[in-house]
Amino acid sequence: MSTMKRILIVGNWKMNLTVHEASLLVKRLHDKIQVHRDIEVVLAPSMLALQPVSQEIDKRKFKLAAQDAFYKDEGAFTGEVSFTMLRGLVDYAIVGHSERRIYFHETLEVVRDKVKAAVRNDITPILCVGETSREKAAGETSRVIHDQVTTALSDLTPEEVEKVVIAYEPVWAISTFGGELAKPDAVKKTMDQIRNLVKELYGAETAEALRVIYGGSVDDHTAGGYLAIEGVDGLLPGSASLNYHKFAGIIDSAYRQLHKKDKQDG
Ligand code: PGA
């Protein structure tokens, strides 16, 4: 964890829960989770549930994220929702999740345009990057990360990059694609690569301000281990965020991590 930053925990509900089920989960989470000034908790329900959930949440406790949106602000794009339409409703938007890159064939350039559109509409993009198991086996992790990060940020100024969140999610570690547990030193290596890349391209100040979080089968048992890695500013759990015990357990791990830090600092 980096010093001085709030821990960011983002629950990606993916294509799960009806509006009614989403509202039940929100109620449970309200009861279980306490406000903590150093932890920012973000929920990413389906597009359909965003509006009702926004009226049900205590905004001091939870912020909202969209799971995706289209890069044009308006026009004849049947079926799409733009970042402009989400402005004011969400603080964050997940962009370039591996399920979108793989199932919906989102290219590096599409992801870049979505990152730009989010920033243009005052929404913080949570840019997801990560290598597939085939790329990992071929020793291509660092090239893949390099290409995904540099292309996605290429239309932004250093001031804009500072506000971006980058989520490292090795595709092979995501429950959808195998859910193999990533080792902390491998995670640290790629997280460091991401920050160093941003440093080279946009300067040390930008790299330090940028939040880099980890995702990929994180649950209440593994969260603490990942949060303890130097440079990890938060987590992006998927399936565990649908279970209020597990999600609250992840937030508890973040509390414990903060306490540990406080003790170490004196
Ligand atoms: P998972 O998903 O926690 O279910 O592996 C993480 C993600 O895809 O964001």
Side-chain angles (χ1 to χ4, degrees), residues 10 12 14 94 97-99 128 169 173-177 179 215-219 236-241:
V10 187
N12 177 8
K14 306 194 178 180
I94 298 172
H97 191 279
S98 58
E99 287 150 18
C128 297
E169 302 205 296
I174 294 177
S175 57
T176 328
F177 301 108
S217 289
V218 175
D219 64 14
L236 176 52
S239 52
S241 69

Side-chain angles (χ1 to χ4, degrees), residues 129-149:
V129 298
E131 78 285 5
T132 63
S133 58
R134 195 192 47 74
E135 289 160 345
K136 181 180 169 230
E140 291 173 354
T141 301
S142 121
R143 181 196 56 78
V144 169
I145 299 297
H146 176 275
D147 293 354
Q148 290 179 343
V149 172

Side-chain angles (χ1 to χ4, degrees), residues 101 108-109 111-113 115 127-129 142-157 161 164 166 193-202:
R101 294 184 195 254
L108 295 175
E109 291 72 26
V111 174
R112 174 199 62 203
D113 292 349
V115 166
L127 166 68
C128 297
V129 298
S142 121
R143 181 196 56 78
V144 169
I145 299 297
H146 176 275
D147 293 354
Q148 290 179 343
V149 172
T150 51
T151 312
L153 302 181
S154 60
D155 278 351
L156 304 185
T157 63
V161 172
V164 171
I166 299 184
Q193 186 204 342
I194 293 172
R195 218 180 280 278
N196 286 334
L197 197 53
V198 171
K199 189 172 164 188
E200 263 167 45
L201 295 168
Y202 301 95

Side-chain angles (χ1 to χ4, degrees), residues 87-123:
R87 200 186 187 122
L89 180 62
V90 299
D91 287 295
Y92 292 91
I94 298 172
V95 176
H97 191 279
S98 58
E99 287 150 18
R100 299 225 47 96
R101 294 184 195 254
I102 293 168
Y103 297 143
F104 302 98
H105 314 293
E106 286 193 3
T107 60
L108 295 175
E109 291 72 26
V110 164
V111 174
R112 174 199 62 203
D113 292 349
K114 289 187 172 188
V115 166
K116 179 73 182 168
V119 170
R120 184 168 69 235
N121 286 289
D122 289 324
I123 294 170

